[in-house]
Amino acid sequence: MTARERASRRRLRFCLAVVVGVFGIFAVRLFQIQGLDASAYAAKAVEAGTNTSTVPAPRGQILDRNGVALAASVDGLTLTADPTMTAANAPQIARLLVEELGDKIDYFETIDKLRTANSHFVYLKRDVPAWTATKTLTAIKDAGYTGVFSEKESLRTYPGGKLAANLLGYTNATGKGVSGIEQQYNDVLTGTDGSSTFELSPTGQRIPMADSTVTEMVPGRDVTTTIDRDLQWYADQRLVDAVRDSSSDWGLAITMDVKTCQIVQMSQAPTFNADAGTGMNDFNTVSRAVSNVYEPGSVLKTVTMAALADQGKIAADSPIVVPSGVTIDKFKIGDYWDHGVLHLTAAGVIAKSSNLGTLVAAQKMSDETMHRYLRKFGFGEKSGVGLPGESRGILADPSKWTKSNHATISFGQGIAVTATQMMRAVGAIANDGKICNPSVVSGIVDEDGKKKSVETPAAHRVVSKKAAASVTRMMEAVTAPDGTAPAAAIKGYRVAGKTGTAWRVDPVTGRYIRGQNVVSFMGFAPADNPRFLTYIVLDRPYSSAGGGSTAAPVFHDVMSMALERFGVAPTGSKSPKVPQTW
């Protein structure tokens, strides 16, 4: 054998060895794929040929006391696109989207999204009502374009628009409650999303009759409130008129059932419309009934008198010598009208809203005793209404009180409260001396459709029934023709009430701003068998406005509507005549 033949054989054997080695590697790899890793690769194949979509769970409804929806969820769609399919026709598709969705979508921004490089998925527009989204997709398809798709979602809607907006709150872009009942009961209202997985053809189409997997979604539970929709609507409108007519910065109107402490309407102006997305700024969306603190003014005189009456130190006809003015700690205190020395009864002091008469009466109790009663009436602590952002108000420790503090706090200056605190306190007087926490939610509807009541603490006594009745008689004198708020009187009913006018405090300097007031009126009816209590607050109305002339007429209208709405008949009795002077 020649040297050339031997070299050829060596090359042949080498090439054969290489070929055998390569085939050996292929064989080992094939065995690994088909034998050892078969399940893993099968799973990848299935994954590549399947699609999983979320089945959104609708958020639970917020209902009024009669089952009418105040907040609900409706079917919606999110519009998406595959830029690899839309890039070539981006301007034409964007034009169709703008024609159907209007100013909800930006033309040039949409073109950029439709041309997104190296992407098979972009969001075009979220939170589109189902019928609008379907109409849009149809228009794109009819025009011969492809690449725009939709995903199901659940949209939040508020059928009443502005109705009770600050109480209900609203949800953010992710569907989470961020204020009001929406926030407080977010875990209850939020459901659990489901999912749907199905097989796709190589072209991306769903394969009919192919295997699919569905995980059922669980809807959110409904929350039933104590609100009466019709009364709420009326109070909302009446308050808007009052704020406008008095040029006030803002206003509140709240009505509560004094026996159960259920709030049947809670209005605020100005407000917002979460359904339309208007007025959504911090000034409008804050819940002032629980978060705003202010000095209540003369409405607090009812609590001072109740504390004194409970100790047996005063009655409606108790004589009080009212000076023409006093100076305490170099601080001059007077009444809103000039007068000499007056001889008023306790009822007369309340009827005429005398600061001087109140502070004279308050001298009958110490700082510690007065503070103890204020705490018993709920000041310096949350009202328990169960809404986010609630303030405790401001009530200084009695060890820090000066003589002037004792005097001014007795008539509602030098103490800061929330509207719900003030309602809870005066509500105790209307409820025979028993105090209870105000509530806005009565129950939650479970998965089986049964309503489960929300438990609230039982009412407890803060003053005697006799003391509460005595102060009620004083308050009835306020709505008499010679009282400070005859405009609050309701024909056929006995009405007990109290006006309030307090200087506003500058939040920056902490000093009073003369000429700027918070005016209010608090009252309940029928006075001889109380059912409802209504509180009206107007912040910084025109300079000469008072609680009796500005807030009392609003009280009259809202309370009249509440009595009519709930079928509360007049008791037929007349208010007792209590002398105002001696």
Side-chain angles (χ1 to χ4, degrees):
M1 181 180 296
T2 64
R4 178 177 293 179
E5 289 176 338
R6 287 194 297 271
S8 295
R9 286 189 174 186
R10 283 197 299 271
R11 285 196 297 270
L12 182 60
R13 285 195 297 269
F14 176 76
C15 289
L16 181 61
V18 170
V19 170
V20 171
V22 170
F23 275 102
I25 292 173
F26 285 163
V28 172
R29 182 59 176 156
L30 184 61
F31 174 75
Q32 181 185 14
I33 292 174
Q34 293 187 338
L36 302 179
D37 298 335
S39 59
Y41 278 92
K44 288 185 177 181
V46 171
E47 181 179 355
T50 61
N51 179 69
T52 299
S53 61
T54 299
V55 179
R59 191 172 176 83
Q61 298 184 100
I62 301 178
L63 310 171
D64 88 333
R65 65 189 302 115
N66 300 308
V68 179
L70 303 176
S73 292
V74 297
D75 290 337
L77 296 173
T78 289
L79 296 179
T80 66
D82 182 344
T84 63
M85 302 172 67
T86 60
N89 302 300
Q92 295 87 342
I93 296 174
R95 178 176 54 80
L96 289 171
L97 288 166
V98 171
E99 287 178 357
E100 297 297 332
L101 301 178
D103 58 4
K104 294 181 180 179
I105 193 167
D106 182 84
Y107 175 73
F108 295 103
E109 181 182 344
T110 301
I111 290 178
D112 291 340
K113 290 181 178 180
L114 294 169
R115 288 175 171 169
T116 302
N118 303 318
S119 175
H120 286 273
F121 182 89
V122 292
Y123 284 108
L124 296 178
K125 182 61 182 175
R126 296 176 182 268
D127 301 342
V128 182
W131 68 273
T132 302
T134 301
K135 182 182 177 184
T136 302
L137 292 171
T138 300
I140 293 172
K141 181 180 179 181
D142 291 346
Y145 303 117
T146 59
V148 179
F149 309 98
S150 64
E151 293 183 353
K152 288 184 179 181
E153 63 177 312
S154 183
L155 303 182
R156 201 60 167 166
T157 182
Y158 300 88
K162 294 182 179 180
L163 185 87
N166 300 88
L167 172 61
L168 298 176
Y170 60 97
T171 57
N172 60 16
T174 64
K176 182 179 180 180
V178 292
S179 71
I181 293 174
E182 292 278 28
Q183 177 181 345
Q184 188 71 22
Y185 289 86
N186 185 68
D187 292 343
V188 172
L189 293 164
T190 302
T192 302
D193 291 342
S195 64
S196 177
T197 302
F198 49 85
E199 293 186 32
L200 300 175
S201 68
T203 60
Q205 302 299 315
R206 181 172 181 175
I207 301 175
M209 308 300 292
D211 291 340
S212 62
T213 302
V214 176
T215 301
E216 296 292 339
M217 60 82 178
V218 179
R221 289 175 287 169
D222 295 344
V223 172
T224 301
T225 71
T226 59
I227 299 300
D228 180 85
R229 188 188 188 283
D230 290 349
L231 177 60
Q232 178 71 42
W233 181 89
Y234 178 80
D236 283 354
Q237 309 310 310
R238 183 64 183 87
L239 183 64
V240 167
D241 292 342
V243 169
R244 182 193 63 237
D245 295 344
S246 63
S247 301
S248 298
D249 283 359
W250 53 265
L252 292 171
I254 313 172
T255 300
M256 182 179 77
D257 186 322
V258 300
K259 301 298 184 185
T260 63
C261 280
Q262 290 186 347
I263 292 177
V264 293
Q265 67 81 203
M266 180 183 282
S267 302
Q268 178 176 315
T271 185
F272 64 97
N273 187 332
D275 206 52
T278 57
M280 305 289 287
N281 57 62
D282 291 343
F283 186 82
N284 292 342
T285 58
V286 64
S287 182
R288 299 187 185 279
V290 297
S291 63
N292 270 48
V293 295
Y294 56 92
E295 298 195 354
S298 297
V299 173
L300 196 77
K301 292 172 182 175
T302 58
V303 176
T304 301
M305 290 298 184
L308 291 166
D310 189 58
Q311 299 170 69
K313 295 181 176 180
I314 209 164
D317 58 355
S318 295
I320 299 174
V321 178
V322 182
S324 59
V326 297
T327 299
I328 303 177
D329 295 335
K330 299 181 180 180
F331 182 70
K332 293 183 178 180
I333 300 176
D335 283 322
Y336 68 90
W337 81 102
D338 294 330
H339 60 75
V341 176
L342 300 176
H343 293 79
L344 300 178
T345 62
V349 167
I350 293 297
K352 298 185 181 300
S353 197
S354 171
N355 294 340
L356 295 167
T358 304
L359 71 85
V360 168
Q363 298 305 312
K364 295 177 180 290
M365 56 182 167
S366 66
D367 292 348
E368 289 73 18
T369 300
M370 186 171 165
H371 182 271
R372 177 166 54 85
Y373 272 97
L374 289 171
R375 287 305 302 265
K376 286 175 66 176
F377 274 96
F379 297 108
E381 64 181 26
K382 294 182 179 181
S383 70
V385 69
L387 288 172
E390 184 176 9
S391 171
R392 296 178 180 273
I394 302 173
L395 175 61
D397 188 271
S399 63
K400 299 179 181 179
W401 286 13
T402 63
K403 290 182 179 180
S404 61
N405 288 145
H406 183 105
T408 59
I409 289 174
S410 72
F411 56 79
Q413 297 270 188
I415 178 175
V417 305
T418 66
T420 49
Q421 281 180 328
M422 201 67 243
M423 287 197 70
R424 183 180 183 228
V426 179
I429 296 173
N431 192 29
D432 293 334
K434 292 182 178 180
I435 197 168
C436 54
N437 292 352
S439 61
V440 292
V441 169
S442 62
I444 296 170
V445 181
D446 287 336
E447 293 84 349
D448 57 3
K450 294 182 179 180
K451 179 181 175 182
K452 182 179 180 181
S453 298
V454 173
E455 298 296 330
T456 56
H460 63 276
R461 184 165 297 284
V462 290
V463 294
S464 68
K465 183 175 181 179
K466 180 180 179 181
S470 180
V471 176
T472 297
R473 287 196 295 273
M474 299 180 199
M475 294 173 69
E476 284 192 77
V478 173
T479 62
D482 55 349
T484 53
I490 301 174
K491 187 176 181 180
Y493 294 87
R494 289 171 58 177
V495 178
K498 186 68 194 77
T499 57
T501 302
W503 290 345
R504 294 177 80 246
V505 176
D506 188 325
V508 176
T509 65
R511 296 179 178 275
Y512 290 116
I513 307 174
R514 291 185 178 274
Q516 293 186 14
N517 300 320
V518 177
V519 303
S520 59
F521 185 87
M522 176 91 77
F524 52 88
D528 48 334
N529 186 21
R531 175 66 191 279
F532 292 113
L533 179 147
T534 295
Y535 189 29
I536 309 297
V537 183
L538 296 170
D539 180 66
R540 204 173 67 154
Y542 55 83
S543 59
S544 62
S549 60
T550 310
V554 186
F555 163 88
H556 170 277
D557 295 346
V558 175
M559 176 61 80
S560 296
M561 177 63 173
L563 295 170
E564 178 182 346
R565 175 72 179 156
F566 286 84
V568 180
T571 58
S573 63
K574 293 183 179 181
S575 298
K577 291 184 178 181
V578 180
Q580 296 186 19
T581 60
W582 58 278

